[in-house]
Amino acid sequence: MNLYPLTPFEEALDLVLQYTTRLDVEKVTFHDALGRVLAEDVYATEPLPPFQASAMDGFAVIAEDPASWREIVGDQWAGPAEALTVLPGHAVRITTGAPLPPGADAVVPVENSRESDGRVRFDRAVRRGDNVRPIGEDIAARQLVLSAGTAIGPAEIGLLASTNRVQVLAYRRPTVAVLSTGSEIVEPGAPIAPGQIRDSNRYAIMSSVLQAGGTPLSLGIVPDEETALRDAFRQGLEQADVFISSGGVSMGERDLSRGLIEEWGTVHFGQVKQKPGRPTIFATVDRPEFSHRRLIFGLPGFPVASLVSFENLVRPALRKMAGHTHLFRPTVKARLTHAIQRKGNRVEFQRAQLEWRDGEWHATVAGLQTSGRLLSLAGANALLRLPIGAKRLERDDIVIAVRIDQPETE
Ligand code: AMP
Ligand code: MG
């Protein structure tokens, strides 16, 4: 078996992004579009508000009306316009969001008014346009409200609703088939025998896929057995845009995933100079039976290694496929609260807790950093990106922290 060359981390990331392209677009109902990326410019067809609307509860009047007491001639609630006209000497009781009756050009808030005997007077001067929202104040007709490439969040959903864009063109979410491999792996909830361990990777990776905006598809657990693995690969590649397996990518006698990845795709790297997550394979599958290119990631079996590799190399790819332009999480400079001893021969991603104190970030590494110890990742809000080099970092040294609790901004 040939050992893959050790690919520098930055080069591995470049390769992933180089072979990853945006997926196709589809029409989606606006309220199902949360988290997606818009694939068209959206223009308003109607102004908002579509009529002159009151911005307050109060009285609709003519601003320049010389009358000191005005007669209340009717009520205009938010809703259909009543057959009311405001003449000099008149006022119409009005609520927020109600259409301004013809004739009126201002609204006086109820708190600035005094009522008596069906009449009202105001304790301050009224100016034309007071508390009236002109047509199109928020959105003008034919205005560009959202441009293609915008990530759709709650405000964007609201804008689509108010501009009556019930259907919108958005990039497809990547579907991601996730497979656990290993004859020792058993389903959580099932009885366990000596030598077996529970499958944590598939559930952790599927959750990561969801958080990255993809649609996970479980392929279950497959033992280290070639025919079964081959079937799982076929199934995953047929059904999904991305195929992720965990385990079986090191140099062991029964590490069969490697061979199958080579059989199905073109391998772009097979080992990455990162810690954890060195045995990570990336391949692409361009076959006539598939409508478009499939990506394969062979992630390490060790739970932390597979999640860190996902974070570093898979997540940016999923976001790019989904049409996002910001592919990287924000980083901050942080001060170490303790010394770190390390080998320094690979880029290292240590799991840490960041805390804002005295005007700066402080980073505390979350205990033992072995690649199987999920407890080091649970509750961590940052990965400290420690470059190749220094074998020892001192307390108070400044390091780069990737904020894995924040959405991509770069
Ligand atoms: P492998 O890369 O297949 O040699 O696996 C490396 C280590 O990760 C072994 O200790 C495996 O038991 C463990 N491992 C592999 N797959 C999983 C999984 N799905 N869930 C939890 N641990 C796993
Ligand atoms: Mg294995």
Side-chain angles (χ1 to χ4, degrees), residues 181-185 224 246-250 254-257 301:
T181 70
S183 299
E184 79 281 29
I185 310 296
D224 297 313
S246 72
V249 287
S250 320
R254 303 302 297 166
D255 281 338
L256 301 172
S257 300

Side-chain angles (χ1 to χ4, degrees), residues 317-356:
L318 298 187
R319 289 186 54 88
K320 185 168 181 190
M321 291 172 101
H324 287 282
T325 42
H326 297 302
L327 304 181
F328 306 111
R329 310 254 207 197
T331 56
V332 293
K333 287 184 174 148
R335 194 175 288 283
L336 287 176
T337 63
H338 52 82
I340 292 176
Q341 193 70 48
R342 59 191 283 257
K343 280 218 182 104
N345 56 344
R346 287 182 265 161
V347 181
E348 198 167 344
F349 296 89
Q350 294 217 358
R351 286 71 74 196
Q353 191 70 45
L354 281 185
E355 263 178 313
W356 181 259

